[in-house]
């Protein structure tokens, strides 16, 4: 199965432009890989060289924001099948949306969330609950 994974609030807590805190995603992401699934990093992060926006609240400053996320996966030995896109879909569609069979994103309706103010000021994915859903649906085996 191809699974698209958001980053901020999903793999780590919300701390953009920095990489956030650990929210226990690594063991479940590794279990997905071990069960033969392929992960696509599907995030709003991008590397910004010459920002044109004026809204500092959006952190439009030069930075390697996407590279930081990709490096997080590398540091945790979690291979990515794609970054921002499905590497095969260009052969059958011109859609910019990354094709996946499952999307895990803290902003998705129904995604189980957790809130711990010692980790983040915003809710983030509850990976214990996500793991239970994945196991119950036969997507990963314990």
């Amino acid at each position: 199965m191809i699974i698209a994974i958001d980053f901020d609030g999903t793999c780590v807590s919300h701390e953009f432009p920095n990489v956030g805190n650990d929210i226990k995603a690594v063991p479940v992401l590794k279990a997905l890989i071990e069960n033969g699934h392929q992960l696509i990093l599907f995030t709003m992060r991008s590397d910004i060289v010459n920002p044109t926006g004026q809204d500092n609240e959006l952190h439009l400053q030069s930075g390697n924001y996407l590279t930081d996320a990709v490096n997080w996966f590398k540091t945790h030995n979690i291979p990515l099948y794609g970054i921002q896109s499905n590497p095969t879909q260009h052969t059958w569609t011109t859609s910019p949306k990354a094709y996946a069979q499952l999307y895990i994103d803290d902003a998705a309706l129904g995604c189980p969330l957790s809130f711990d103010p010692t980790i983040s000021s915003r809710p983030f994915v509850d990976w214990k609950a996500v793991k239970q859903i994945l196991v119950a649906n036969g997507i990963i085996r314990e």
Side-chain angles (χ1 to χ4, degrees):
M1 179 181 289
I2 299 169
I3 304 171
I5 305 287
D6 180 38
F7 189 67
D8 296 287
T10 301
C11 295
V12 297
S13 65
H14 288 279
E15 305 296 332
F16 185 83
N18 300 312
V19 171
N21 297 310
D22 177 30
I23 59 170
K24 310 296 184 220
V26 171
V28 181
L29 295 173
K30 285 186 174 187
L32 287 167
I33 296 297
E34 291 165 4
N35 280 266
H37 303 294
Q38 297 170 304
L39 304 181
I40 294 173
L41 175 58
F42 196 47
T43 177
M44 283 294 299
R45 283 179 173 253
S46 65
D47 290 342
I48 300 173
V49 178
N50 294 313
T52 58
Q54 300 300 316
D55 190 345
N56 287 332
E57 191 65 28
L58 296 175
H59 303 284
L60 291 174
Q61 301 149 20
S62 293
N64 293 320
Y65 308 120
L66 179 59
T67 298
D68 291 343
V70 170
N71 286 338
W72 181 89
F73 281 87
K74 288 179 182 176
T75 297
H76 291 92
N77 297 312
I78 301 169
L80 291 171
Y81 176 63
I83 300 167
Q84 303 293 59
S85 66
N86 181 313
T88 65
Q89 79 183 50
H90 71 280
T91 64
W92 50 271
T93 184
T94 59
S95 175
K97 181 178 179 181
Y99 169 75
Q101 292 138 334
L102 179 65
Y103 297 80
I104 302 176
D105 189 325
D106 64 300
L109 180 66
C111 185
L113 300 177
S114 182
F115 180 70
D116 181 341
T118 65
I119 296 173
S120 178
S121 62
R122 292 176 55 185
F124 47 86
V125 169
D126 180 343
W127 281 97
K128 183 177 179 181
V130 167
K131 181 180 180 186
Q132 291 173 344
I133 293 167
L134 295 170
V135 169
N137 286 282
I139 298 169
I140 60 173
R141 292 176 183 81
E142 291 189 281

